[in-house]
Amino acid sequence: MKGALLSYGDLFKEPHNRHIFFSSSLYLMNMEYNSVITDFNRKVQEITVLSHAIPAIRQGVLLCRQTLSRLRDIVKQTGLNTQEAEIRFFKEIKAIPLSWLIYFTEIGSCELRKPRADRELQKQFYKKQLHKADKFFQRHREFVYYMEQGHTHRDPEYFTRKALEHFPLSTGIEGYRDPDFSTSHDLLWAQVQAMDRVTEHLEKNIEELSSGSFSVLNGDAGNYLAWTGTKTDLVVLIYALYSGKVINHGQADIAEITAAFETLFDIRLPQVYKTYAEIRMRKGQRLRFLEELIFRLSKKMDEDDAF
């Protein structure tokens, strides 16, 4: 009957009606999500502006947990009726409070474990945490590359709950995740975003601890050595020395060699492992910096031999 209200069952009798229902539901659902995330973003900025002291970090953790709980309730009430809605939720919406939760937890752990008195020990501690972050990016370099490039072809695999139908029979964390509120890669994506923030936080701390120091041999500004090549070239050199086992009889690891170069040249190399992964993915001459050094040294020897 024209003008009569459609019942819930009538809505699903015709495909056109189903489309109208899902479209309006998606719109209302997005409005709810946007409201929650807008409120969250405002509050999390207020917390981060205050400080990174333990009380503020605890506030951040509580805010993230409350927001995730609100999002879970909305999902239960409204559902995620299309693949598009599901991907958007787990890729773009849930990742926001989840990544901040991981961030607050990580920096909270750092603040509780860092040395209290010695500034130099604090710098060394923060540098070790940076190298751990680099290792994380190295382990997940393929996924990080996929996300950074804006690819979407594997989103149905990464960001829908269908992939969790084949759950693992193991004692690992994957076996205990809520299949109605998780996908195979939503946690990893949140970790990637969180570790980017953690890296920035650690670099800022190191810079503040280093301010006002010369950090080079004998403390004389006239003896200052500056690396004027690219950081990528320096990473190539570090890995070449490591692979050649020419430092400490081959017992020095990448982190130790990197720390030595950072001190020598007063430079930050926060993502050595990630940079190395990118070098490996190059097409063509991956070691052109070393090849150029060999060429220039050989040329100089030839020129010197001419005299």
Side-chain angles (χ1 to χ4, degrees), residues 140-147 158-159 185 188-189 192:
H140 304 290
R141 58 185 179 274
E142 291 184 4
F143 177 71
V144 172
Y145 179 80
Y146 172 89
M147 298 302 296
Y158 290 159
F159 298 109
H185 284 64
L188 179 57
W189 176 222
V192 169

Side-chain angles (χ1 to χ4, degrees), residues 228-248:
T228 54
T230 68
K231 288 187 177 182
T232 299
D233 289 343
L234 186 52
V235 171
V236 169
L237 182 58
I238 289 170
Y239 269 87
L241 295 172
Y242 169 75
S243 302
K245 300 185 183 297
V246 293
I247 299 178
N248 290 351

Side-chain angles (χ1 to χ4, degrees), residues 189-202:
W189 176 222
Q191 287 177 307
V192 169
Q193 296 176 74
M195 295 311 291
D196 271 334
R197 296 191 191 105
V198 169
T199 297
E200 292 178 7
H201 171 75
L202 294 172

Side-chain angles (χ1 to χ4, degrees), residues 3 6 24 46 68 70 81 90 103 112 140 142 148 154 157 169 171 184 207 217 225 234 239 244 262 264 268 293 302:
L6 291 171
S24 59
E46 291 174 356
L68 286 168
R70 290 175 66 187
N81 297 316
F90 288 108
Y103 167 77
L112 289 173
H140 304 290
E142 291 184 4
E148 286 182 344
R154 301 192 71 176
E157 173 189 347
L169 294 175
T171 57
S184 64
E207 184 178 346
L217 318 174
L225 297 176
L234 186 52
Y239 269 87
E262 287 179 325
L264 176 63
R268 288 292 311 119
L293 290 181
D302 291 341

Side-chain angles (χ1 to χ4, degrees), residues 32-307:
E32 288 189 82
Y33 291 146
N34 290 339
S35 174
V36 171
I37 295 302
T38 298
D39 183 54
F40 171 82
N41 285 335
R42 177 180 57 81
K43 290 179 179 178
V44 82
Q45 290 305 316
E46 291 174 356
I47 291 172
T48 54
V49 164
L50 290 175
S51 71
H52 281 97
I54 295 300
I57 292 171
R58 292 188 184 279
Q59 287 182 37
V61 170
L62 180 61
L63 171 64
C64 294
R65 289 177 175 173
Q66 291 173 339
T67 303
L68 286 168
S69 179
R70 290 175 66 187
L71 291 176
R72 185 195 299 268
D73 289 342
I74 296 174
V75 169
K76 286 183 178 179
Q77 292 169 7
T78 63
L80 295 168
N81 297 316
T82 68
Q83 186 180 86
E84 177 187 1
E86 194 168 5
I87 290 173
R88 179 174 182 269
F89 176 80
F90 288 108
K91 185 179 182 180
E92 301 176 14
I93 297 174
K94 181 189 173 185
I96 295 174
L98 183 56
S99 65
W100 278 103
L101 175 61
I102 297 168
Y103 167 77
F104 284 124
T105 303
E106 288 287 336
I107 64 170
S109 175
C110 283
E111 292 305 309
L112 289 173
R113 293 183 294 114
K114 75 177 182 182
R116 293 296 173 186
D118 191 284
R119 290 169 63 90
E120 194 58 38
L121 287 178
Q122 289 181 7
K123 283 174 61 177
Q124 293 177 14
F125 172 79
Y126 286 135
K127 286 181 179 180
K128 286 183 179 179
Q129 303 313 304
L130 276 175
H131 291 308
K132 289 180 180 179
D134 285 336
K135 288 183 178 180
F136 167 82
F137 286 114
Q138 167 73 3
R139 285 196 305 272
H140 304 290
R141 58 185 179 274
E142 291 184 4
F143 177 71
V144 172
Y145 179 80
Y146 172 89
M147 298 302 296
E148 286 182 344
Q149 295 301 307
H151 295 315
T152 59
H153 59 279
R154 301 192 71 176
D155 282 4
E157 173 189 347
Y158 290 159
F159 298 109
T160 66
R161 292 164 293 182
K162 186 176 181 180
L164 289 185
E165 292 178 357
H166 307 289
F167 55 87
L169 294 175
S170 67
T171 57
I173 190 173
E174 296 298 325
Y176 300 101
R177 297 175 68 182
D178 183 350
D180 294 324
F181 198 63
S182 304
T183 72
S184 64
H185 284 64
D186 66 330
L187 176 59
L188 179 57
W189 176 222
Q191 287 177 307
V192 169
Q193 296 176 74
M195 295 311 291
D196 271 334
R197 296 191 191 105
V198 169
T199 297
E200 292 178 7
H201 171 75
L202 294 172
E203 288 178 340
K204 181 180 179 181
N205 284 354
I206 293 171
E207 184 178 346
E208 290 175 353
L209 289 169
S210 301
S211 61
S213 64
F214 291 126
S215 157
V216 188
L217 318 174
N218 303 327
D220 185 351
N223 292 334
Y224 182 82
L225 297 176
W227 177 263
T228 54
T230 68
K231 288 187 177 182
T232 299
D233 289 343
L234 186 52
V235 171
V236 169
L237 182 58
I238 289 170
Y239 269 87
L241 295 172
Y242 169 75
S243 302
K245 300 185 183 297
V246 293
I247 299 178
N248 290 351
H249 304 287
Q251 298 303 306
D253 60 22
I254 292 295
E256 292 170 328
I257 299 172
T258 300
F261 274 96
E262 287 179 325
T263 301
L264 176 63
F265 295 121
D266 195 20
I267 193 173
R268 288 292 311 119
L269 298 170
Q271 298 186 342
V272 174
Y273 301 98
K274 184 179 179 182
T275 301
Y276 175 65
E278 292 170 350
I279 294 169
R280 288 175 53 201
M281 295 174 67
R282 284 178 179 171
K283 295 181 179 180
Q285 293 177 300
R286 295 189 294 184
L287 302 177
R288 57 178 175 269
F289 173 65
L290 296 181
E291 292 168 357
E292 184 177 348
L293 290 181
I294 294 171
F295 172 78
R296 291 188 178 186
L297 178 58
S298 178
K299 182 180 179 182
K300 175 173 174 52
M301 288 182 172
D302 291 341
E303 291 172 350
D304 291 343
D305 289 343
F307 288 98

